[in-house]
Amino acid sequence: MTSYQLSSGDLTADRRAHYARLYAEGGDLGAAVDLQVQSLSLAPGWAAGWQALGDFREKAGDLAGAADAWRQVLVLSPTDIFGAGLKLSLTGQAETPPAPPSEYVEALFDGYSDRFDTSLMENLGYCVPERLTALLADVVGGDAQFAKVIDLGCGTGLFGERIRRTTSWLEGYDLSQGMLAKASDKGVYDHLGQADILHGIPAARLQNAEPADLVAAADVFAYFGDLSGVMAVAASLTADGGLLALSLEAGPDGCEWMLQSSLRYCHGEAYLRRQLEDNGLDLLTLSREPIRRDGPDTISGLLAVARKRPGAGVSEQPAEVVTAPALTVALN
């Protein structure tokens, strides 16, 4: 997040908030709450400060007080860049939204972009890009080639780096400009665009762009609860006979979708199968396996590859066959 969000604009308030964080990190939540309240008495319009107060109160077991602080965040920052509404829903103070605010996701990943690769790959053992690439190879063969690949929620390009050798054209889309800058630096994409997956992909694509032989969503659907909208978008971008490869965080048996304490969503296997079927996608393979660590816990994921059923009168064309000449448009 940018400095104006993290600073109150008052040096004394900032200093007290700094000490509040230190007390919280040391386990003295009572002192942290007291100092944060003092800070906000000097800077009552500081949305990020109210968010921190809510978090301190939550950890101290004062859920009612935490909810009051998070409601104040929403008054000061109605776009909910801090995810206060998500926190309210987790503590039973509000209904669970089907997806987080776009502004929250964009700010989260803009602030994370500089350390994203190191944090995920080295610290958390994140393996979705490798495993999804391997799953695709199992389905179509290790030497298969795709005419066009779309990487939804491409982030810094971790999946793009691994799929590049299999395609003559690679597009990537992400909500975070910081993530896109990192992806651009890797030089593996032919076209990158900033877009909200639910609403902005058509405008971000090149004029007259066609559907892709492979659409991938690696660690993207964890930021959506209700998958109906984003699954429809992914299916619309997939050519008849083409493949959709995706990952989810696995939910408990019987779960459709559920917001977790991480502020990401998990999904049930039956729900995923139904969403694929409803959007004209035939499941080819599904794997339930560990995808990363989260503190002392291991996060289990669902990795899937599905094929889009051809439209009436259109013969199916294998996804592993290149059907268009190689394109050489430079990275924009």
Side-chain angles (χ1 to χ4, degrees):
M1 294 183 183
T2 56
S3 59
Y4 81 87
Q5 292 159 352
L6 295 181
S7 172
S8 68
D10 182 298
L11 290 177
T12 302
D14 284 354
R15 189 176 300 113
R16 292 184 183 180
H18 172 69
Y19 287 128
R21 287 194 296 274
L22 293 178
Y23 274 115
E25 290 169 1
D28 192 343
L29 292 167
V33 168
D34 288 344
L35 279 166
Q36 195 68 22
V37 169
Q38 292 176 34
S39 174
L40 289 166
S41 70
L42 298 171
W46 185 24
W50 285 101
Q51 181 73 26
L53 177 60
D55 293 345
F56 296 156
R57 284 175 170 171
E58 179 192 23
K59 291 176 182 176
D62 179 11
L63 296 186
D68 288 342
W70 292 326
R71 291 192 186 97
Q72 185 63 24
V73 174
L74 292 174
V75 170
L76 296 169
S77 179
T79 58
D80 199 11
I81 195 171
F82 301 101
L86 297 174
K87 300 289 284 188
L88 283 168
S89 68
L90 276 176
T91 54
Q93 307 292 324
E95 291 187 5
T96 304
S102 296
E103 293 83 359
Y104 162 74
V105 176
E106 182 178 3
L108 174 69
F109 284 102
D110 277 346
Y112 199 17
S113 58
D114 284 339
R115 63 187 191 281
F116 185 79
D117 287 12
T118 299
S119 178
L120 277 183
M121 305 298 287
E122 297 180 13
N123 300 336
L124 301 181
Y126 174 68
C127 60
V128 168
E130 291 91 343
R131 291 298 304 132
L132 207 56
T133 304
L135 209 62
L136 280 164
D138 290 343
V139 170
V140 299
D143 296 328
Q145 291 287 305
F146 299 95
K148 180 180 293 185
V149 175
I150 295 176
D151 188 359
L152 289 178
C154 63
T156 61
L158 291 173
F159 180 77
E161 289 179 293
R162 289 154 180 81
I163 205 68
R164 173 74 258 189
R165 68 174 183 82
T166 72
T167 183
S168 53
W169 179 263
L170 178 60
E171 302 174 28
Y173 300 96
D174 203 277
L175 190 58
S176 165
Q177 191 61 50
M179 290 291 198
L180 289 168
K182 295 296 182 181
S184 179
D185 288 344
K186 292 179 177 177
V188 298
Y189 291 91
D190 299 290
H191 174 72
L192 287 167
Q194 184 178 18
D196 182 319
I197 292 177
L198 282 177
H199 310 292
I201 298 295
R205 299 194 73 197
L206 297 175
Q207 189 174 8
N208 300 320
E210 296 293 329
D213 306 282
L214 169 63
V215 174
D219 205 30
V220 175
F221 288 176
Y223 294 92
F224 297 88
D226 180 353
L227 294 182
S228 57
V230 70
M231 191 71 78
V233 170
S236 73
L237 294 170
T238 307
D240 285 354
L243 300 181
L244 171 63
L246 61 92
S247 70
L248 301 171
E249 292 191 9
D253 291 342
C255 164
E256 289 199 343
W257 56 271
M258 182 174 65
L259 183 64
Q260 305 171 98
S261 59
S262 62
L263 302 188
R264 296 185 300 271
Y265 295 86
C266 62
H267 300 84
E269 180 178 330
Y271 178 70
L272 170 60
R273 290 177 179 272
R274 188 166 69 251
Q275 286 291 325
L276 292 170
E277 176 65 26
D278 290 348
N279 285 280
L281 295 153
D282 294 326
L283 183 63
L284 301 180
T285 186
L286 177 65
S287 175
R288 187 182 186 114
E289 57 188 85
I291 55 174
R292 64 177 177 82
R293 295 187 300 274
D294 187 2
D297 301 321
T298 297
I299 303 300
S300 180
L302 296 172
L303 279 67
V305 177
R307 188 185 298 276
K308 185 174 179 181
R309 292 192 289 272
V314 179
S315 60
E316 181 172 351
Q317 189 159 1
E320 60 266 34
V321 177
V322 176
T323 57
L327 300 176
T328 57
V329 177
L331 181 68
N332 64 347

